[in-house]
Amino acid sequence: MIRAVDSSPHVSAPVLAAYSYCEAVTGQQARNFAYGIRLLPTPKRRAMSALYAFSRRVDDIGDGALDGDVKAARLEETRALLARVRAGEVEEDDTDPVAVALAHAARNFPIPLGGLDELIDGVLMDVRGETYETWDELKAYCRCVAGAIGRLSLGVFGTEPGARGAERAPEYADTLGLALQLTNILRDVREDAAGGRVYLPADDLAKFGCSAGFDGPRPPEGSDFVGLVHFEVRRARTLFAEGYRLLPMLDRRSGACVAAMAGIYRRLLDRIERDPEAVLRGRVSLPGREKAYVAVRGLSGLDTRHVSRLTVRRQV
């Protein structure tokens, strides 16, 4: 069992200010993530905002316009800051609000901070321009940039006492992160290509005649782009089905948070499946009202109960 406990009865003014900064970053930049964490009780919501703000900093370095060597140096500086957080060397009066909030969260929840090292490793892979021949290679990257976030989040959520199979909760959290990341990769295939990045495995691209890449609103000449997308959608759905086994292990509000975030991505996947070439024409997204609807379903328990029934049927 992973027990998440916010044991601090009082949060000082400097720490509150640091959390407020992280929550502002989350609200402005998180989009889908923000719809989920707003369902959490205050201590967990604050801790998740600290994780997001640190992760956003890492991602922004990787996505920025700096030279690759400069990016790598900045990422290593960020890793050094993480080491200070891990060692308990960040004080409440530190001038970096993200470090202050993350340090407080890590003192009050069993957050496996090594997951943030993995995130930095994954972004360094982006900086180096790595490509992936096989799904196993891409999966290793996805575990760094998304599976690790799932495991970090589980440190905040915790698992319910007596939850069946709770020892596998980190595995399921990791797998759910993979499902979300593969959905992201499908959604952003043209945007990534414009930035010189190719994430889908070369083996899959070759199988469906898409090795030429995606530099326009139409698929490569003579390719089976629809077949490629449907192939990757099926892979993502398998990951979602496995990762959703986590939900019955969480308390109601943590489960609602995960169900909301995952539910938004599953709906994105549905849209991509219905019209695969839409990802080449522009960014596929959900309107705010639909995201809010997914969040309400999660909080009401509709999605978690549905997943629980599916899980029982799969086990039988």
Side-chain angles (χ1 to χ4, degrees):
M1 178 183 69
I2 301 170
R3 177 165 294 176
V5 179
D6 180 24
S7 58
S8 175
H10 173 72
V11 181
S12 68
V15 173
L16 280 176
Y19 276 132
S20 294
Y21 173 84
C22 293
E23 290 190 287
V25 170
T26 304
Q28 292 166 7
Q29 301 186 41
R31 299 179 183 176
N32 298 336
F33 187 81
Y35 277 89
I37 68 170
R38 69 178 59 177
L39 303 177
L40 295 170
T42 299
K44 291 185 178 183
R45 188 187 70 245
R46 288 173 176 163
M48 290 294 289
S49 72
L51 283 174
Y52 177 83
F54 189 93
S55 301
R56 180 76 262 167
R57 178 178 296 181
V58 174
D59 285 342
D60 284 347
I61 294 171
D63 292 337
L66 299 171
D67 176 81
D69 289 341
V70 177
K71 287 183 180 182
R74 290 276 304 278
L75 288 168
E76 292 305 334
E77 290 171 6
T78 307
R79 196 192 300 274
L81 175 62
L82 177 60
R84 289 183 54 223
V85 171
R86 186 184 290 111
E89 297 173 356
V90 175
E91 303 294 337
E92 291 185 358
D93 59 354
D94 194 285
T95 57
D96 188 331
V98 176
V100 171
L102 182 62
H104 185 271
R107 285 194 297 271
N108 289 281
F109 294 96
I111 300 172
L113 291 175
L116 292 172
D117 277 304
E118 293 181 57
L119 174 62
I120 293 170
D121 291 339
V123 174
L124 280 168
M125 294 166 76
D126 282 336
V127 170
R128 293 192 295 265
E130 294 193 15
T131 56
Y132 309 98
E133 291 295 320
T134 66
W135 165 239
D136 283 343
E137 291 181 8
L138 177 60
K139 186 163 57 176
Y141 165 79
C142 292
R143 289 198 189 286
C144 286
V145 298
I149 302 302
R151 287 177 268 118
L152 287 158
S153 301
L154 183 62
V156 176
F157 298 145
T159 54
E160 284 283 80
R164 183 179 177 186
E167 70 280 356
R168 297 190 65 183
E171 173 191 336
Y172 296 142
D174 185 282
T175 300
L176 197 53
L178 265 62
L180 269 59
Q181 185 63 22
L182 183 53
T183 304
N184 266 337
I185 288 170
L186 286 172
R187 180 193 63 187
D188 298 339
V189 65
R190 184 181 174 188
E191 181 180 328
D192 289 333
R197 294 177 178 175
V198 178
Y199 289 101
L200 290 175
D203 283 358
D204 295 352
L205 296 176
K207 184 187 304 180
F208 293 95
C210 294
S211 298
F214 313 102
D215 58 359
R218 295 186 180 280
E221 187 79 23
S223 68
D224 181 13
F225 180 74
V226 171
L228 171 68
V229 171
H230 286 167
F231 177 80
E232 303 297 350
V233 165
R234 288 193 296 273
R235 175 175 280 156
R237 289 198 188 285
T238 298
L239 293 168
F240 271 115
E242 183 71 9
Y244 264 35
R245 290 174 178 264
L246 173 67
L247 292 184
M249 302 175 185
L250 306 178
D251 67 75
R252 176 174 173 266
R253 291 177 71 175
S254 296
C257 172
V258 176
M261 288 188 286
I264 288 169
Y265 278 87
R266 285 190 67 184
R267 284 172 177 257
L268 280 175
L269 199 64
D270 290 342
R271 290 192 172 207
I272 292 169
E273 183 179 38
R274 288 195 297 268
D275 184 7
E277 293 187 17
V279 299
L280 299 179
R281 298 192 296 269
R283 190 179 182 88
V284 178
S285 62
L286 299 184
R289 64 182 181 277
E290 189 169 351
K291 293 179 183 180
Y293 171 73
V294 174
V296 169
R297 280 183 61 89
L299 189 58
S300 68
L302 290 173
D303 282 343
T304 52
R305 288 197 296 271
H306 174 65
V307 170
S308 296
R309 289 194 296 272
L310 288 178
T311 301
V312 168
R313 283 202 293 269
R314 281 169 63 94
Q315 290 173 342
V316 172

